[in-house]
Amino acid sequence: MEDKKFNEYESLELIAKTIERARKTEIGRLNFVTLYGILGLLTYTFTQLMREPQWQLLWIAVAALSYGVPFVYHRMWRKPMTVTGRIVKRGWGYFALTGMGIALVGSVALSTYVAPLMTIVGSCALFMLSGVYKQKAILAASFIGLFSSAMVVATNGSYEGNYVFFAYLFYAYCVYIGLSLSGNVDDIKTF
């Protein structure tokens, strides 16, 4: 096999592709979004059916499991990470803590606002990922979640209208985005 010599452009392109592949593999390991989407769909449905405030505490499990399971499963504390991976891991950790705090406080005082606030937490995490991946589709999903939450809050906790539909759409799209980031679905299509 003959050694191939690369010009400057080809070598820079090869380096860029290698870095991008490593980044996608690492962020795919940090697949918080899929779990957040699945658990969010289930919890959102359950809390819509059971309106008692104590059921809002289930959102603590959504935040804790979506952060903790991938962290433990991939043994994140042992593997070296890129700067992007550390940013995503730490950022999602802060979002998970915020979500647990919202669920805890909301179950006591503001139970009608816990679900929309948890959707905002997920939207903020997707805003972060849209900057990392530079994907318009992830950014659009962030705005869908933010819109549905803002409309519920603006109507004083009323779940009338299409706001519930947009929340379900947001969580379902989180599952899709998470699966595509981990490589189980083709790349996310941009608009």
Side-chain angles (χ1 to χ4, degrees), residues 106-129:
S107 66
V108 175
L110 302 166
S111 64
T112 57
Y113 297 108
V114 173
L117 291 174
M118 290 301 289
T119 306
I120 290 174
V121 169
S123 295
C124 291
L126 287 185
F127 277 122
M128 177 184 64
L129 285 180

Side-chain angles (χ1 to χ4, degrees), residues 88-101:
V88 171
K89 184 178 99 173
R90 185 168 289 155
W92 189 264
Y94 292 140
F95 290 131
L97 286 174
T98 303
M100 287 187 274

Side-chain angles (χ1 to χ4, degrees), residues 78-90:
R78 294 186 189 161
K79 295 185 179 183
M81 300 185 78
T82 63
V83 172
T84 304
R86 284 192 301 253
I87 290 169
V88 171
K89 184 178 99 173
R90 185 168 289 155

Side-chain angles (χ1 to χ4, degrees), residues 14-28:
L14 180 65
I15 291 168
K17 284 181 181 179
T18 304
I19 291 171
E20 185 67 23
R21 192 176 327 115
R23 185 177 69 153
K24 283 188 177 184
T25 301
E26 183 174 76
I27 293 177

Side-chain angles (χ1 to χ4, degrees), residues 60-177:
I60 293 174
V62 172
L65 290 174
S66 64
Y67 183 74
V69 169
F71 190 88
V72 171
Y73 179 73
H74 292 293
R75 298 191 177 116
M76 294 297 170
W77 61 90
R78 294 186 189 161
K79 295 185 179 183
M81 300 185 78
T82 63
V83 172
T84 304
R86 284 192 301 253
I87 290 169
V88 171
K89 184 178 99 173
R90 185 168 289 155
W92 189 264
Y94 292 140
F95 290 131
L97 286 174
T98 303
M100 287 187 274
I102 287 170
L104 186 61
V105 171
S107 66
V108 175
L110 302 166
S111 64
T112 57
Y113 297 108
V114 173
L117 291 174
M118 290 301 289
T119 306
I120 290 174
V121 169
S123 295
C124 291
L126 287 185
F127 277 122
M128 177 184 64
L129 285 180
S130 70
V132 170
Y133 276 98
K134 297 174 181 65
Q135 294 285 338
K136 294 177 185 174
I138 298 174
L139 185 63
S142 304
F143 280 114
I144 289 170
L146 194 60
F147 171 76
S148 71
S149 300
M151 289 298 105
V152 172
V153 171
T155 58
N156 286 330
S158 170
Y159 287 92
E160 304 300 321
N162 295 327
Y163 314 136
V164 174
F165 169 74
F166 283 116
Y168 280 114
L169 181 66
F170 169 74
Y171 286 115
Y173 204 67
C174 282
V175 173
Y176 173 74
I177 288 170

